[in-house]
């Protein structure tokens, strides 16, 4: 088993104005999330969020603490949200085993315990996408299905943004320290998400896009409202969104994405809206 990890340092919006395509991708895009029997982990200095993926094929894969954590266990000082976006699998945390099916989510609270990931069928492996934030209290583990989620149906087909937001690891469903995660599913014919756009200086965010055909693409928009930039993305890639940045996208086909937030508070509605006509 191999762990691939890297650290991304926080960036100032004045610096980001000068980034070219290569630099934007280098700072914010997480290009490889899943590799067979390996853990891919990115540690962001924006609110110290971690995002990563594990795809166990030939056997269980253990989540090892990366060097920057300086801890015996990955979750010694952290909480974690995990979504399965592949075949059936299960997560073992300490002595507990949690089965996860497609689009189900698991919250793991802080604690000194080993965490391993395993697929039920190596021919249809599970794909565990996860995000982790620092935690200063311990809350119980919790599995959330789409049926358990707090649902919000927004947008219209006429505006190309008809979508269902599944708020799955949020305070209305499971207690957490600061991590919030959910999944937004766009209806057929709709391609825009999070438009009108917004920022939230009290939280950062990570978007993970999936269910995108291999010959299609997502255009992720970021940057200050008056200084926007874009990043071209493919299926099963993630992108870091700093607290000063908008986070929106339009694709060549409908898709699904998982959002994860951490920072100052757990108020889902704490955001500063940007009128579409004011974006530049």
């Amino acid at each position: 088993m191999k762990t691939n990890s890297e650290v991304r340092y926080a960036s100032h919006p004045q610096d980001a104005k000068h980034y070219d395509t290569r630099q934007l991708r280098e700072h914010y895009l997480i290009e490889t999330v899943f590799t067979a029997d390996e853990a891919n982990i990115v540690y962001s200095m924006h609110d110290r969020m971690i995002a990563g993926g594990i795809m166990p094929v030939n056997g269980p894969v253990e989540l090892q603490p990366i060097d920057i954590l300086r801890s015996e266990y990955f979750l010694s000082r952290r909480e974690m949200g995990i979504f399965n976006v592949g075949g059936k699998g299960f997560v073992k945390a300490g002595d507990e085993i949690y089965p996860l099916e497609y689009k189900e989510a698991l919250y793991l609270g802080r604690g000194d315990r080993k965490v391993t990931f395993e697929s039920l069928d190596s021919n249809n492996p599970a794909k565990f996408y996860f995000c982790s934030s620092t935690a200063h209290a311990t809350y119980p583990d919790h599995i959330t299905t789409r049926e358990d989620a707090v649902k919000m149906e927004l947008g219209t087909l006429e505006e190309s943004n008809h979508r269902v937001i599944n708020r799955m690891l949020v305070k209305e469903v499971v207690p957490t320290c600061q991590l919030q995660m959910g999944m937004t599913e766009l209806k057929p014919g709709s391609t825009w998400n999070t438009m009108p756009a917004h920022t939230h200086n009290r939280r950062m965010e990570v978007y993970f896009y999936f269910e995108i055909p291999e010959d299609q693409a997502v255009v992720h928009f970021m940057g200050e409202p008056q200084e926007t930039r874009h990043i071209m993305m493919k299926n099963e890639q993630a992108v870091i969104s700093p607290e000063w940045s908008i986070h929106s996208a339009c694709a060549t086909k409908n898709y699904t994405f998982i959002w994860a937030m951490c920072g100052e508070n757990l108020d889902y509605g704490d955001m500063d809206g940007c009128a579409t006509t004011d974006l530049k």
Side-chain angles (χ1 to χ4, degrees):
M1 190 219 116
K2 180 182 178 184
T3 298
N4 308 302
S5 68
E6 60 177 299
V7 175
R8 306 280 182 94
Y9 287 92
S11 52
H12 194 284
Q14 292 297 320
D15 295 329
K17 289 180 181 182
H18 305 290
Y19 292 167
D20 61 15
T21 298
R22 179 190 62 79
Q23 290 170 308
L24 285 171
R25 296 175 70 86
E26 187 177 86
H27 283 285
Y28 305 116
L29 178 64
I30 303 175
E31 201 158 4
T32 302
V33 174
F34 298 118
T35 307
D37 298 318
E38 296 182 3
N40 294 315
I41 298 171
V42 172
Y43 183 109
S44 172
M45 288 296 184
H46 289 286
D47 283 309
R48 299 190 179 275
M49 174 76 93
I50 287 176
I54 291 177
M55 182 174 66
V57 176
N58 296 305
V61 175
E62 182 180 345
L63 180 65
Q64 300 279 358
I66 57 178
D67 289 344
I68 194 170
L69 296 182
R70 299 292 194 271
S71 61
E72 184 178 356
Y73 299 94
F74 193 96
L75 295 179
S76 289
R77 299 185 297 272
R78 289 186 158 267
E79 60 186 351
M80 171 179 282
I82 303 161
F83 277 71
N84 184 5
V85 297
K88 293 181 180 180
F90 56 89
V91 179
K92 184 176 182 181
D95 295 325
E96 300 296 326
I97 297 176
Y98 301 102
L100 282 184
E101 297 200 19
Y102 188 60
K103 289 186 175 179
E104 290 186 341
L106 170 66
Y107 171 80
L108 293 181
R110 184 189 71 170
D112 288 344
R113 52 195 169 148
K114 186 165 73 172
V115 179
T116 58
F117 299 80
E118 193 164 355
S119 298
L120 247 54
D121 181 1
S122 60
N123 294 314
N124 183 26
K127 295 180 179 179
F128 298 103
Y129 171 72
F130 59 85
C131 287
S132 172
S133 60
T134 56
H136 304 290
T138 300
Y139 291 108
D141 302 342
H142 187 276
I143 290 178
T144 303
T145 68
R146 276 186 291 176
E147 289 70 30
D148 301 325
V150 178
K151 294 185 181 294
M152 300 170 59
E153 187 166 351
L154 300 175
T156 64
L157 183 59
E158 289 74 18
E159 293 181 322
S160 303
N161 65 354
H162 188 195
R163 62 201 188 274
V164 175
I165 301 173
N166 301 276
R167 296 164 59 192
M168 299 177 73
L169 303 183
V170 296
K171 64 180 180 180
E172 295 88 351
V173 178
V174 55
T176 68
C177 290
Q178 61 166 319
L179 183 67
Q180 299 181 77
M181 294 184 73
M183 179 175 60
T184 300
E185 300 171 298
L186 276 75
K187 299 288 187 177
S190 288
T191 57
W192 276 103
N193 75 65
T194 325
M195 187 61 76
H198 62 263
T199 60
H200 29 65
N201 276 323
R202 293 150 296 281
R203 295 193 300 254
M204 64 82 67
E205 200 156 354
V206 178
Y207 274 16
F208 169 78
Y209 294 98
F210 68 111
E211 293 191 324
I212 305 164
E214 292 304 316
D215 61 345
Q216 304 295 315
V218 172
V219 186
H220 179 84
F221 293 94
M222 62 162 297
E224 294 178 287
Q226 305 302 308
E227 195 76 38
T228 59
R229 299 288 185 272
H230 74 271
I231 298 176
M232 299 297 300
M233 297 180 61
K234 299 177 182 178
N235 188 44
E236 296 181 350
Q237 293 184 338
V239 62
I240 297 166
S241 180
E243 61 284 347
W244 44 262
S245 176
I246 66 167
H247 29 286
S248 179
C250 187
T252 53
K253 190 182 182 299
N254 66 306
Y255 53 93
T256 303
F257 71 97
I258 294 168
W259 44 267
M261 297 185 285
C262 68
E264 183 81 12
N265 59 45
L266 292 171
D267 180 4
Y268 178 83
D270 180 9
M271 58 186 72
D272 302 308
C274 313
T276 303
T277 52
D278 289 339
L279 296 175
K280 294 181 179 178

